[in-house]
Amino acid sequence: MKIFIDSADVKELQTLAQTGLVDGVTTNPSLVAKAGGNIFDGLRAICAAIPGPVSAEVVAADYETMLAEGRKLRTVASNIAVKVPLTPDGLRACATLSKEGHPVNVTLCFSAVQALLAAKAGATFISPFLGRLDDGGQDGMELVREIRAIYDNYGFKTQVLAASIRTTLHVRDAALAGADCATIPPAIFKALYKHHLTDAGLESFGKDWRATGQSIL
Ligand code: G3P
């Protein structure tokens, strides 16, 4: 499963890129607002730090303006993927942009039939929002499983990008469900490394080693 980081914080992304484990980035208007600064400067820096796809979202609601915004965002760097919302205009823009050769991430997906439409519109990625479904008392992960099954039934190439991830268990379950990618907030990504038995094991190995009085270097 590809690991994307869900953030527009340039410094944080530059640091996380050093792990060698980051395959891409997703941003959205809220994340850009939170990071502050100019959207184009931020995207340029992120695209330079991380060679994988960096999703940049249109903010217009109508087809023509979405197309213009999408084409402009794509001039920032060759690894930009245009993010469009799952609306009739968004899917129409998705089809046009995809035909022009632009990678498109269809966002704000909350149902399997929406995901079916996105695949038919030629989306490169579909972003089901797990956490927001869970927040509303639904099973977000079930949506990922449904989309996986539908895409496999028909051989759709659209990649399932599990989004709105809130916990490390979401990451595990998305991988078990066969999501192609998960976009993970920085704090959850860092938590993926953690296990108390790793810490305890490291401490006892260190104690035993120090007692030998030896040095490897
Ligand atoms: O990138 C969009 C998505 O991951 C948003 O997550 O936490 O705002 O529901 P969240």
Side-chain angles (χ1 to χ4, degrees), residues 6-7 26-28 30-31 57 83 105 107-108 110 127-132 135 161-166 183-185:
D6 202 23
S7 173
T26 54
T27 69
N28 63 37
S30 303
L31 291 171
E57 189 159 341
K83 212 169 173 189
N105 177 359
T107 190
L108 291 166
F110 294 96
S127 291
F129 274 31
L130 316 183
R132 293 192 192 188
D135 291 346
L161 199 179
S164 188
I165 295 260
R166 303 277 166 78
T183 189
I184 307 172

Side-chain angles (χ1 to χ4, degrees), residues 15-201:
T15 303
L16 292 180
Q18 293 168 11
T19 65
L21 299 176
V22 178
D23 299 302
V25 171
T26 54
T27 69
N28 63 37
S30 303
L31 291 171
V32 171
K34 190 175 161 201
N38 176 273
I39 183 174
F40 293 103
D41 293 341
L43 287 172
R44 226 170 274 118
I46 295 168
C47 288
I50 294 171
V54 173
S55 290
E57 189 159 341
V58 302
V59 290
D62 67 285
Y63 169 73
E64 293 292 350
T65 319
M66 276 188 204
L67 275 190
E69 288 181 350
R71 288 173 184 143
K72 179 160 181 196
L73 288 167
R74 277 280 292 165
T75 64
V76 170
S78 58
N79 55 331
I80 287 281
V82 180
K83 212 169 173 189
V84 300
L86 210 152
T87 60
D89 285 65
L91 291 191
R92 194 175 157 212
C94 171
T96 303
L97 291 166
S98 297
K99 275 187 200 120
E100 290 175 359
H102 305 297
V104 180
N105 177 359
V106 175
T107 190
L108 291 166
C109 171
F110 294 96
S111 81
V113 288
Q114 287 183 319
L116 174 63
L117 296 182
K120 290 183 73 72
T124 312
F125 302 101
I126 182 70
S127 291
F129 274 31
L130 316 183
R132 293 192 192 188
L133 279 171
D134 287 0
D135 291 346
Q138 285 179 263
D139 181 357
M141 203 55 67
E142 185 55 23
L143 174 58
V144 174
R145 288 188 280 269
E146 288 173 359
I147 298 172
R148 177 76 282 151
I150 290 170
Y151 284 7
D152 289 349
N153 281 347
Y154 298 100
F156 285 120
K157 297 288 175 237
T158 303
Q159 296 179 48
V160 182
L161 199 179
S164 188
I165 295 260
R166 303 277 166 78
T167 65
T168 56
L169 292 182
H170 272 156
V171 178
R172 179 198 68 182
D173 292 342
L176 284 170
D180 299 284
C181 332
T183 189
I184 307 172
I188 304 297
F189 173 74
K190 290 175 199 164
L192 295 177
Y193 287 89
K194 297 279 181 198
H195 197 286
H196 68 97
L197 290 177
T198 305
D199 296 339

